[in-house]
Amino acid sequence: MTCEDDKVVLTDFQAKKLTALEQIRSRKFLAAFQSIRDLVVMAEEEEEEETYFRTSRKVDQALQRFTSEAFVAPYEGAAARRRIMLGMDAVALQLSSNLAPPYDTVPKRVYLNALRALTVMNEMQQSAGYGGNATTSLGADSTYSPFRILQRLVTGVGIRRKEAGSCTAYSNESIQEKDFNMVLNSFSNMGRMDMAHKIVALQERTENAPPLSPVGYSILVKGYGRRGDLRNVDMIVAHAKANGIVPDRIMLNSLIDAYVNCNAMDKAKTLFDCMAKGGSSSHRGTLKWVRNPDSGEVPRPNQRTYNTILKGLAKSGSLKEVLSMSQKMEMKRLWDDVTTNTLVHAAVLNGNFDLAEAVLDRHTSSANARANRGRRRNEHPNVEAYTELLDGYSKASQLNNALQVMQTMKDRGVEPNEFTYTCLIAAFARHGQVDKAKKTIRYMTTTGGLKPTAVTYNAFISALLSLPEGQQDERDDDQCSRAVLPAPTDDQVDEAIGIFYDMMRSGIRPNDVTLATLIIALGRCRPAPRIEEAKELVGKLEKNGIVSYKNNHKVVTALVQSCGLSGDINGALDWFRMLKRPDLVAVNAFLDACCRCGYEDVAMKTFRHFFGPGDGGSSAILQPSVISFSILIRALLKKDTVPASEDAQILYIEMKDAQKLFPDQAMVDLVLKTVIRTGKLQKKDVPLVASIVRDAKELEWRPGQLERRRRAIKAVLSSRSRLLSVWNDEDDDILLREIKSEDTLLKRKGWNKVDSGFRLWGGGKMDIQVEGENDRPVDEFLESKGWNDMESGFRIF
DNA sequence: TTAGGGTTAG
């Protein structure tokens, strides 16, 4: 190579580099990346050593310039995603290049920037509802990238040493714990506990990596708590204890919240008690762990602690408990906007709209920007409560009151947001006012300056598919529990599909929930299922790359269920087989499909395959749920034979003894409905019914559930049976009246154990006939069964 | 770095 040639090459190179820098400046990232790729090749081909080194350094400068721009905020949106992934491509390019060392490695700072960009981006996309369509040009999954970067950071592979050419060993000591925690937190927020676990494992087995601190444990506990995974929450706590972790207030708050999310209020209350009472708490064991061994102090509860426990009480306890706790908070001056929102939540959950209105009357914040720091821009701190109240009215078929909430918001200067509009749109749709729902979408976009989301349309569609007001009573008695929503009509389904196309036309990508909703609707619609249309729809969307159903559990499960509903067992089987690792919901859907199509034997085999032999051993692939048992028990009872009823009973016992599961409302409804036909309860079914209703005695019934239960009872009553269980909820007028009249009756009969869990109710005559036992006095019958009538919670008269 | 509050959902 002559001196002349050399000059030309350098000039070319410089020109290219200038182009690249200009492209970066004008944010043409793809073009810039391509230019840099050319630069890399040019440098690699350089033969003269010093020039090779010099050009390599210049390429590195360009690369660093590129990545520092690529990994900068904002991290939201498709363009940001492309930019960040190009940044990752640039990192990969440099690592795989033959640039002169150390320029074939990447400075630590770049990795750290990438880490931040990737984690924030992944979390945002998760919440934006991107499906599994995320792949990069290198085929790398953006979910794994943060993990791989951390791996590099701890091993030093591909990381530039401080001084060029230095031979000193890479030291990972300067990797901050917060770098790990940032990634851990993002996986935890995404619900990817598998990945979170990988991070922890990496941290634990790497020398010099920072050990898990209360911060890391807080993050893990949060993640498992959100998934309702009590077992792993407990496991993390045990791990922390074993490692001598002294929990701080945040960790305890996280733990209380996790317990609340896992419906483990007893544990949440214990912890709260320790924090509130400190040394005087009676929970010695917990106290021992929670207390700081040096100072002897126990972290004191703060506003968040109280709000968290309040949320738990709202979820599981009575309104009374919530009210007394909120009064305590007010006295301690710990009341804030979250308290207001939580109290409204509790009130709405209990159907006590007056209370919700009263709380908002008194506690609505005067909107000020300072209160909103860290939240969405200038949003009123109580929109959430108003939104929930609106939604509550709408779901309780009180459209006018729902609309009145919009007016109240306006009067009080509470600006509706996309959540509020979503609920309003669903409210219109639920009441058959489709045009107004559509208008609201337009209104929120234009006047409100808000964008409807996939959830907006999903809410619209599913509200449409639920029966409009006025037709509620026409449901057949199949539809007594939430587990069985009313079957939509052809017209409703057509309307829903129309909205679905509106959605796509306005450029909003349907997600798996959208698709699953439509699939189920098509599978169940009246007068005949339209399963073929469902399959076509899925195929079309897949072909056009709009939604990918492959490996999408929700969509495939919906197809399994839909096939089952329309008697297509082969279809159900085909779709079910597509799932490499079916989850509980999928297995339940398949069990249901088998049973509906008359393949109880296949169902039973499937049940054993996934849930094990029922000995409580650990050979099971999955843990069954009450639903799994409900499906099989119903199928068995439907067979209406003595051996099948016995099998049902055995399954029920297995559910309680081996699986420690107890019946829920749906199961009670289902069994009652299946077993009580033509007013007769057959002898073979008595033991099962008796134990189920007795076990269900502790169930908590909320107004919505009470309503369903009331319908179930109505169904039972209308089938000439008299069957009633005892309610503790004094809020429900109708049931109260029924119980009162029942109590009168019991008094007249001289029976005063009204607290027993279960009564059969009839105007003094025996309405439930126990086949073959009609003539025998009840007490004799019970005695013959070895039942103590009241203690067994079962009385026949 | 980490903790509490609203919409759809098999």
Side-chain angles (χ1 to χ4, degrees):
Chain A
M1 204 182 276
T2 67
C3 214
E4 283 280 280
D5 288 337
D6 207 40
K7 242 182 209 163
V8 174
V9 171
L10 271 177
T11 313
D12 255 4
F13 179 87
Q14 276 173 335
K16 194 93 190 167
K17 189 184 169 192
L18 284 175
T19 310
L21 293 178
E22 180 49 37
Q23 284 163 330
I24 295 170
R25 227 189 322 274
S26 51
R27 306 185 68 77
K28 292 177 181 144
F29 289 101
L30 184 59
F33 178 73
Q34 284 158 347
S35 302
I36 292 176
R37 199 168 47 194
D38 294 343
L39 286 176
V40 171
V41 174
M42 287 163 111
E44 284 173 342
E45 283 171 352
E46 193 55 64
E47 282 169 17
E48 200 279 311
E49 190 148 336
E50 205 198 307
T51 324
Y52 168 53
F53 187 80
R54 206 171 53 239
T55 46
S56 289
R57 192 178 59 210
K58 286 183 175 162
V59 175
D60 179 64
Q61 284 164 355
L63 275 162
Q64 290 204 37
R65 185 66 184 279
F66 183 78
T67 49
S68 69
E69 287 298 322
F71 295 139
V72 88
Y75 305 125
E76 197 174 0
R81 182 184 175 83
R82 277 194 296 275
R83 167 168 56 83
I84 293 164
M85 294 326 284
L86 275 172
M88 288 305 292
D89 288 348
V91 171
L93 174 69
Q94 188 160 17
L95 289 172
S96 62
S97 73
N98 286 316
L99 291 175
Y103 303 116
D104 56 349
T105 57
V106 176
K108 191 153 90 184
R109 177 180 45 80
V110 175
Y111 285 108
L112 292 176
N113 290 340
L115 213 50
R116 169 158 303 277
L118 281 165
T119 48
V120 178
M121 177 188 84
N122 280 341
E123 274 187 67
M124 281 183 160
Q125 276 184 357
Q126 177 89 4
S127 57
Y130 272 74
N133 318 337
T135 48
T136 74
S137 48
L138 276 185
D141 178 353
S142 69
T143 310
Y144 270 86
S145 303
F147 176 67
R148 299 221 172 89
I149 292 175
L150 274 184
Q151 268 183 322
R152 281 189 185 275
L153 285 169
V154 296
T155 56
V157 175
I159 307 229
R160 193 169 307 174
R161 310 293 196 270
K162 278 229 169 82
E163 305 122 51
S166 151
C167 290
T168 50
Y170 173 75
S171 155
N172 60 22
E173 273 167 13
S174 55
I175 306 173
Q176 309 269 323
E177 193 198 340
K178 68 175 183 189
D179 299 327
F180 277 94
N181 288 340
M182 178 173 68
V183 181
L184 196 63
N185 192 41
S186 113
F187 283 133
S188 187
N189 287 340
M190 287 191 287
R192 289 295 300 267
M193 296 315 285
D194 53 332
M195 293 305 295
H197 234 92
K198 277 181 198 272
I199 305 289
V200 173
L202 182 68
Q203 222 170 326
E204 284 188 322
R205 67 166 181 255
T206 310
E207 235 182 308
N208 295 331
L212 272 179
S213 72
V215 177
Y217 282 105
S218 301
I219 295 169
L220 288 169
V221 152
K222 170 182 70 174
Y224 282 122
R226 285 188 184 165
R227 289 167 53 120
D229 185 347
L230 184 59
R231 206 176 290 202
N232 273 311
V233 171
D234 285 338
M235 195 266 291
I236 296 296
V237 172
H239 196 278
K241 283 180 182 167
N243 282 346
I245 293 290
V246 179
D248 58 9
R249 178 154 68 190
I250 295 182
M251 184 172 164
L252 293 182
N253 283 350
S254 308
L255 193 51
I256 291 178
D257 190 50
Y259 286 144
V260 164
N261 290 333
C262 296
N263 298 315
M265 265 317 272
D266 46 340
K267 293 190 177 199
K269 281 179 175 170
T270 301
L271 257 190
F272 180 75
D273 191 72
C274 286
M275 290 176 79
K277 293 191 191 147
S280 53
S281 166
S282 58
H283 301 283
R284 316 290 343 161
T286 310
L287 209 53
K288 199 179 156 206
W289 174 55
V290 163
R291 177 176 271 151
N292 188 309
D294 300 325
S295 64
E297 301 268 301
V298 174
R300 308 300 295 171
N302 62 3
Q303 208 161 36
R304 288 199 183 201
T305 322
Y306 274 91
N307 278 328
T308 309
I309 207 80
L310 194 72
K311 174 178 77 164
L313 294 176
K315 204 172 154 196
S316 73
S318 68
L319 202 50
K320 231 163 112 185
E321 269 185 287
V322 174
L323 283 171
S324 94
M325 180 59 79
S326 65
Q327 268 159 18
K328 252 184 229 166
M329 291 176 69
E330 198 165 18
M331 282 187 321
K332 289 176 186 282
R333 299 188 180 283
L334 287 173
W335 188 296
D336 69 358
D337 295 318
V338 177
T339 318
T340 306
N341 293 347
T342 308
L343 197 54
V344 170
H345 169 74
V348 171
L349 206 59
N350 281 275
N352 193 335
F353 298 123
D354 291 342
L355 175 63
E357 298 271 11
V359 171
L360 284 174
D361 251 351
R362 199 155 92 81
H363 290 282
T364 298
S365 282
S366 51
N368 65 16
R370 289 191 60 194
N372 290 322
R373 253 195 319 213
R375 283 180 49 102
R376 295 147 148 255
R377 57 190 156 73
N378 286 334
E379 199 169 66
H380 191 283
N382 297 122
V383 230
E384 292 158 35
Y386 283 92
T387 302
E388 197 166 8
L389 179 58
L390 189 156
D391 198 47
Y393 277 132
S394 150
K395 283 174 179 158
S397 304
Q398 300 177 27
L399 181 61
N400 287 335
N401 286 332
L403 298 179
Q404 181 57 46
V405 173
M406 289 298 286
Q407 185 58 48
T408 310
M409 289 175 72
K410 204 176 167 192
D411 295 343
R412 296 182 186 166
V414 183
E415 194 79 15
N417 60 19
E418 46 279 69
F419 287 75
T420 323
Y421 282 113
T422 296
C423 295
L424 182 62
I425 288 159
F428 281 129
R430 195 172 281 127
H431 293 82
Q433 305 191 9
V434 181
D435 285 341
K436 283 193 180 157
K438 286 180 181 170
K439 269 186 198 151
T440 307
I441 288 192
R442 282 196 294 273
Y443 182 85
M444 77 182 274
T445 320
T446 53
T447 317
L450 298 164
K451 214 178 158 236
T453 64
V455 179
T456 310
Y457 277 95
N458 292 348
F460 191 172
I461 289 170
S462 74
L464 259 177
L465 290 167
S466 71
L467 270 192
E469 170 87 315
Q471 290 183 38
Q472 301 281 331
D473 294 332
E474 288 172 27
R475 301 168 172 193
D476 60 52
D477 61 1
D478 209 1
Q479 286 133 16
C480 46
S481 79
R482 179 95 166 73
V484 197
L485 281 168
T489 61
D490 272 344
D491 287 347
Q492 283 174 295
V493 174
D494 289 340
E495 185 89 74
I497 292 174
I499 301 300
F500 171 74
Y501 283 118
D502 283 351
M503 173 180 185
M504 295 219 287
R505 269 194 295 272
S506 27
I508 293 157
R509 196 191 196 113
N511 61 20
D512 46 4
V513 175
T514 327
L515 204 46
T517 307
L518 288 175
I519 291 167
I520 302 284
L522 284 163
R524 327 185 45 224
C525 74
R526 294 175 290 177
R530 291 155 64 176
I531 182 69
E532 289 311 318
E533 269 179 74
K535 291 178 186 171
E536 270 168 39
L537 180 69
V538 170
K540 209 158 85 183
L541 293 175
E542 177 81 24
K543 204 175 128 211
N544 295 331
I546 293 165
V547 174
S548 170
Y549 64 79
K550 293 192 174 117
N551 292 324
N552 188 317
H553 273 227
K554 247 183 215 156
V555 174
V556 176
T557 305
L559 283 159
V560 172
Q561 200 190 341
S562 215
C563 287
L565 285 162
S566 40
D568 176 7
I569 186 65
N570 289 320
L573 189 59
D574 287 345
W575 289 110
F576 186 64
R577 280 192 179 135
M578 278 191 57
L579 298 168
K580 286 185 202 94
R581 277 196 60 208
D583 64 1
L584 176 61
V585 184
V587 173
N588 285 347
F590 184 64
L591 291 179
D592 191 53
C594 291
C595 291
R596 282 177 192 275
C597 301
Y599 292 90
E600 289 85 0
D601 49 334
V602 181
M604 204 59 224
K605 269 189 200 157
T606 310
F607 187 94
R608 290 293 167 223
H609 176 260
F610 284 99
F611 304 139
D615 54 5
S618 55
S619 58
I621 300 169
L622 289 170
Q623 298 281 321
S625 66
V626 178
I627 298 172
S628 326
F629 283 95
S630 299
I631 291 164
L632 279 190
I633 288 176
R634 177 178 62 173
L636 288 167
L637 292 176
K638 266 195 171 161
K639 281 189 160 181
D640 201 15
T641 63
V642 173
S645 285
E646 282 169 2
D647 285 347
Q649 210 185 339
I650 291 169
L651 264 182
Y652 183 74
I653 291 167
E654 174 185 332
M655 176 178 104
K656 285 200 300 176
D657 292 357
Q659 303 290 348
K660 309 273 177 249
L661 291 172
F662 289 87
D664 58 7
Q665 297 92 337
M667 181 180 232
V668 179
D669 290 349
L670 212 75
V671 167
L672 291 186
K673 200 207 130 242
T674 312
V675 142
I676 298 171
R677 282 162 300 207
T678 64
K680 284 186 183 173
L681 178 62
Q682 295 179 56
K683 187 180 165 189
K684 65 180 169 58
D685 295 322
V686 168
L688 181 63
V689 169
S691 34
I692 286 187
V693 180
R694 187 178 58 233
D695 295 335
K697 156 179 115 174
E698 299 297 331
L699 286 178
E700 280 168 23
W701 305 93
R702 289 233 170 72
Q705 299 166 331
L706 275 174
E707 177 51 31
R708 269 180 258 134
R709 186 107 173 91
R710 204 176 62 79
R711 272 207 295 275
I713 291 173
K714 240 171 85 181
V716 172
L717 292 178
S718 67
S719 68
R720 294 193 293 111
S721 306
R722 297 282 189 265
L723 195 58
L724 182 69
S725 58
V726 163
W727 316 90
N728 293 318
D729 198 317
E730 293 171 4
D731 297 329
D732 193 294
D733 289 335
I734 301 160
L735 290 169
L736 202 63
R737 253 183 281 129
E738 283 178 2
I739 289 168
K740 271 186 186 155
S741 68
E742 188 183 9
D743 287 344
T744 319
L745 182 70
L746 287 168
K747 222 179 227 169
R748 207 171 63 223
K749 293 269 178 190
W751 294 333
N752 53 9
K753 293 216 176 170
V754 292
D755 289 335
S756 75
F758 182 65
R759 282 171 269 169
L760 288 171
W761 176 65
K765 68 177 201 287
M766 188 159 86
D767 285 284
I768 292 236
Q769 301 162 6
V770 178
E771 248 175 34
E773 309 282 350
N774 291 12
D775 315 320
R776 292 169 60 184
V778 170
D779 289 342
E780 215 180 298
F781 167 71
L782 291 172
E783 202 178 345
S784 76
K785 291 283 170 188
W787 293 342
N788 170 336
D789 61 346
M790 284 310 177
E791 274 168 30
S792 73
F794 194 65
R795 192 86 171 85
I796 298 176
F797 57 93

PDB file of all heavy atoms in Angstrom, chain A residues 12 34 114 128 215 235 325 365 371 412 502 559 583 612 661 668 755 769:
ATOM      1  N   ASP A  12     -11.512   8.836   3.286  1.00  0.00           N
ATOM      2  CA  ASP A  12     -12.778   8.111   3.195  1.00  0.00           C
ATOM      3  C   ASP A  12     -13.331   7.829   4.571  1.00  0.00           C
ATOM      4  O   ASP A  12     -14.500   8.049   4.862  1.00  0.00           O
ATOM      5  CB  ASP A  12     -12.548   6.757   2.500  1.00  0.00           C
ATOM      6  CG  ASP A  12     -13.062   6.793   1.075  1.00  0.00           C
ATOM      7  OD1 ASP A  12     -13.499   7.890   0.673  1.00  0.00           O
ATOM      8  OD2 ASP A  12     -13.031   5.733   0.409  1.00  0.00           O
ATOM      9  N   GLN A  34     -25.612   1.808  10.443  1.00  0.00           N
ATOM     10  CA  GLN A  34     -25.034   1.225   9.229  1.00  0.00           C
ATOM     11  C   GLN A  34     -23.692   1.882   8.893  1.00  0.00           C
ATOM     12  O   GLN A  34     -22.740   1.203   8.509  1.00  0.00           O
ATOM     13  CB  GLN A  34     -26.017   1.356   8.062  1.00  0.00           C
ATOM     14  CG  GLN A  34     -27.137   0.327   8.187  1.00  0.00           C
ATOM     15  CD  GLN A  34     -28.399   0.700   7.426  1.00  0.00           C
ATOM     16  OE1 GLN A  34     -28.564   1.837   6.979  1.00  0.00           O
ATOM     17  NE2 GLN A  34     -29.298  -0.271   7.291  1.00  0.00           N
ATOM     18  N   ALA A 114     -27.021   1.074  29.257  1.00  0.00           N
ATOM     19  CA  ALA A 114     -27.862   0.108  28.553  1.00  0.00           C
ATOM     20  C   ALA A 114     -28.815  -0.572  29.540  1.00  0.00           C
ATOM     21  O   ALA A 114     -29.999  -0.769  29.258  1.00  0.00           O
ATOM     22  CB  ALA A 114     -27.008  -0.939  27.865  1.00  0.00           C
ATOM     23  N   ALA A 128     -47.593  -1.209  28.751  1.00  0.00           N
ATOM     24  CA  ALA A 128     -48.289  -0.769  27.538  1.00  0.00           C
ATOM     25  C   ALA A 128     -48.940  -1.947  26.830  1.00  0.00           C
ATOM     26  O   ALA A 128     -49.636  -1.786  25.842  1.00  0.00           O
ATOM     27  CB  ALA A 128     -47.318  -0.064  26.601  1.00  0.00           C
ATOM     28  N   VAL A 215     -33.163  -4.320  50.786  1.00  0.00           N
ATOM     29  CA  VAL A 215     -33.744  -3.755  49.554  1.00  0.00           C
ATOM     30  C   VAL A 215     -34.079  -4.875  48.573  1.00  0.00           C
ATOM     31  O   VAL A 215     -35.187  -4.967  48.053  1.00  0.00           O
ATOM     32  CB  VAL A 215     -32.776  -2.741  48.910  1.00  0.00           C
ATOM     33  CG1 VAL A 215     -33.353  -2.227  47.598  1.00  0.00           C
ATOM     34  CG2 VAL A 215     -32.504  -1.599  49.858  1.00  0.00           C
ATOM     35  N   MET A 235     -40.833 -18.421  51.556  1.00  0.00           N
ATOM     36  CA  MET A 235     -39.493 -18.924  51.275  1.00  0.00           C
ATOM     37  C   MET A 235     -38.468 -17.784  51.340  1.00  0.00           C
ATOM     38  O   MET A 235     -37.387 -17.950  51.918  1.00  0.00           O
ATOM     39  CB  MET A 235     -39.512 -19.578  49.880  1.00  0.00           C
ATOM     40  CG  MET A 235     -38.345 -20.454  49.553  1.00  0.00           C
ATOM     41  SD  MET A 235     -37.103 -19.510  48.696  1.00  0.00           S
ATOM     42  CE  MET A 235     -37.909 -19.201  47.133  1.00  0.00           C
ATOM     43  N   MET A 325     -60.241   1.278  61.590  1.00  0.00           N
ATOM     44  CA  MET A 325     -58.835   1.539  61.292  1.00  0.00           C
ATOM     45  C   MET A 325     -58.658   2.939  60.699  1.00  0.00           C
ATOM     46  O   MET A 325     -57.721   3.660  61.054  1.00  0.00           O
ATOM     47  CB  MET A 325     -58.309   0.477  60.320  1.00  0.00           C
ATOM     48  CG  MET A 325     -56.853   0.613  59.925  1.00  0.00           C
ATOM     49  SD  MET A 325     -55.678   0.547  61.284  1.00  0.00           S
ATOM     50  CE  MET A 325     -55.585  -1.208  61.582  1.00  0.00           C
ATOM     51  N   SER A 365     -59.385  15.891  48.024  1.00  0.00           N
ATOM     52  CA  SER A 365     -58.308  16.873  48.147  1.00  0.00           C
ATOM     53  C   SER A 365     -58.601  18.074  47.282  1.00  0.00           C
ATOM     54  O   SER A 365     -59.198  17.952  46.222  1.00  0.00           O
ATOM     55  CB  SER A 365     -56.993  16.279  47.663  1.00  0.00           C
ATOM     56  OG  SER A 365     -56.456  15.449  48.625  1.00  0.00           O
ATOM     57  N   ALA A 371     -49.007  17.766  45.666  1.00  0.00           N
ATOM     58  CA  ALA A 371     -49.456  16.452  46.129  1.00  0.00           C
ATOM     59  C   ALA A 371     -49.243  15.403  45.053  1.00  0.00           C
ATOM     60  O   ALA A 371     -49.256  14.217  45.325  1.00  0.00           O
ATOM     61  CB  ALA A 371     -50.920  16.529  46.518  1.00  0.00           C
ATOM     62  N   ARG A 412     -66.275  19.394  41.303  1.00  0.00           N
ATOM     63  CA  ARG A 412     -65.186  19.482  42.278  1.00  0.00           C
ATOM     64  C   ARG A 412     -63.815  19.602  41.634  1.00  0.00           C
ATOM     65  O   ARG A 412     -62.793  19.492  42.296  1.00  0.00           O
ATOM     66  CB  ARG A 412     -65.211  18.245  43.184  1.00  0.00           C
ATOM     67  CG  ARG A 412     -66.476  18.171  44.008  1.00  0.00           C
ATOM     68  CD  ARG A 412     -66.479  16.983  44.929  1.00  0.00           C
ATOM     69  NE  ARG A 412     -67.778  16.867  45.598  1.00  0.00           N
ATOM     70  CZ  ARG A 412     -68.177  15.795  46.249  1.00  0.00           C
ATOM     71  NH1 ARG A 412     -67.388  14.753  46.335  1.00  0.00           N
ATOM     72  NH2 ARG A 412     -69.359  15.763  46.829  1.00  0.00           N
ATOM     73  N   ASP A 502     -63.402  -1.483  14.847  1.00  0.00           N
ATOM     74  CA  ASP A 502     -63.200  -0.055  15.136  1.00  0.00           C
ATOM     75  C   ASP A 502     -61.849   0.157  15.805  1.00  0.00           C
ATOM     76  O   ASP A 502     -61.103   1.074  15.475  1.00  0.00           O
ATOM     77  CB  ASP A 502     -64.273   0.445  16.127  1.00  0.00           C
ATOM     78  CG  ASP A 502     -65.612   0.677  15.446  1.00  0.00           C
ATOM     79  OD1 ASP A 502     -65.649   0.613  14.200  1.00  0.00           O
ATOM     80  OD2 ASP A 502     -66.596   0.908  16.169  1.00  0.00           O
ATOM     81  N   LEU A 559     -59.269 -20.816  23.371  1.00  0.00           N
ATOM     82  CA  LEU A 559     -59.672 -21.713  22.284  1.00  0.00           C
ATOM     83  C   LEU A 559     -60.054 -23.097  22.813  1.00  0.00           C
ATOM     84  O   LEU A 559     -61.024 -23.703  22.361  1.00  0.00           O
ATOM     85  CB  LEU A 559     -58.554 -21.810  21.247  1.00  0.00           C
ATOM     86  CG  LEU A 559     -58.474 -20.583  20.331  1.00  0.00           C
ATOM     87  CD1 LEU A 559     -57.109 -20.448  19.692  1.00  0.00           C
ATOM     88  CD2 LEU A 559     -59.559 -20.656  19.257  1.00  0.00           C
ATOM     89  N   ASP A 583     -50.653 -24.193  32.042  1.00  0.00           N
ATOM     90  CA  ASP A 583     -50.776 -23.745  33.420  1.00  0.00           C
ATOM     91  C   ASP A 583     -52.120 -24.222  33.983  1.00  0.00           C
ATOM     92  O   ASP A 583     -52.877 -24.916  33.298  1.00  0.00           O
ATOM     93  CB  ASP A 583     -50.622 -22.224  33.533  1.00  0.00           C
ATOM     94  CG  ASP A 583     -51.729 -21.477  32.810  1.00  0.00           C
ATOM     95  OD1 ASP A 583     -52.626 -22.140  32.241  1.00  0.00           O
ATOM     96  OD2 ASP A 583     -51.704 -20.243  32.806  1.00  0.00           O
ATOM     97  N   GLY A 612     -51.354 -35.242  40.109  1.00  0.00           N
ATOM     98  CA  GLY A 612     -50.823 -36.328  40.918  1.00  0.00           C
ATOM     99  C   GLY A 612     -51.909 -37.246  41.439  1.00  0.00           C
ATOM    100  O   GLY A 612     -53.101 -37.025  41.204  1.00  0.00           O
ATOM    101  N   LEU A 661     -57.921 -27.560  50.345  1.00  0.00           N
ATOM    102  CA  LEU A 661     -58.714 -26.549  49.642  1.00  0.00           C
ATOM    103  C   LEU A 661     -60.150 -26.600  50.166  1.00  0.00           C
ATOM    104  O   LEU A 661     -60.653 -27.672  50.510  1.00  0.00           O
ATOM    105  CB  LEU A 661     -58.732 -26.835  48.136  1.00  0.00           C
ATOM    106  CG  LEU A 661     -57.424 -26.649  47.379  1.00  0.00           C
ATOM    107  CD1 LEU A 661     -57.561 -27.163  45.954  1.00  0.00           C
ATOM    108  CD2 LEU A 661     -57.018 -25.183  47.386  1.00  0.00           C
ATOM    109  N   VAL A 668     -70.266 -24.150  45.599  1.00  0.00           N
ATOM    110  CA  VAL A 668     -71.521 -24.379  46.307  1.00  0.00           C
ATOM    111  C   VAL A 668     -72.697 -24.239  45.342  1.00  0.00           C
ATOM    112  O   VAL A 668     -73.561 -25.120  45.253  1.00  0.00           O
ATOM    113  CB  VAL A 668     -71.674 -23.389  47.490  1.00  0.00           C
ATOM    114  CG1 VAL A 668     -72.986 -23.619  48.209  1.00  0.00           C
ATOM    115  CG2 VAL A 668     -70.518 -23.541  48.447  1.00  0.00           C
ATOM    116  N   ASP A 755     -77.423 -20.431  65.065  1.00  0.00           N
ATOM    117  CA  ASP A 755     -76.074 -20.177  64.557  1.00  0.00           C
ATOM    118  C   ASP A 755     -75.481 -21.355  63.811  1.00  0.00           C
ATOM    119  O   ASP A 755     -74.398 -21.257  63.269  1.00  0.00           O
ATOM    120  CB  ASP A 755     -75.142 -19.819  65.707  1.00  0.00           C
ATOM    121  CG  ASP A 755     -75.479 -18.452  66.244  1.00  0.00           C
ATOM    122  OD1 ASP A 755     -76.035 -17.655  65.471  1.00  0.00           O
ATOM    123  OD2 ASP A 755     -75.219 -18.210  67.418  1.00  0.00           O
ATOM    124  N   GLN A 769     -87.015 -33.921  49.825  1.00  0.00           N
ATOM    125  CA  GLN A 769     -87.287 -35.316  50.143  1.00  0.00           C
ATOM    126  C   GLN A 769     -86.007 -36.094  50.015  1.00  0.00           C
ATOM    127  O   GLN A 769     -85.307 -35.986  49.028  1.00  0.00           O
ATOM    128  CB  GLN A 769     -88.337 -35.859  49.170  1.00  0.00           C
ATOM    129  CG  GLN A 769     -89.621 -35.077  49.249  1.00  0.00           C
ATOM    130  CD  GLN A 769     -90.478 -35.319  48.030  1.00  0.00           C
ATOM    131  OE1 GLN A 769     -90.158 -36.150  47.194  1.00  0.00           O
ATOM    132  NE2 GLN A 769     -91.560 -34.572  47.928  1.00  0.00           N
TER     133      GLN A 769
END
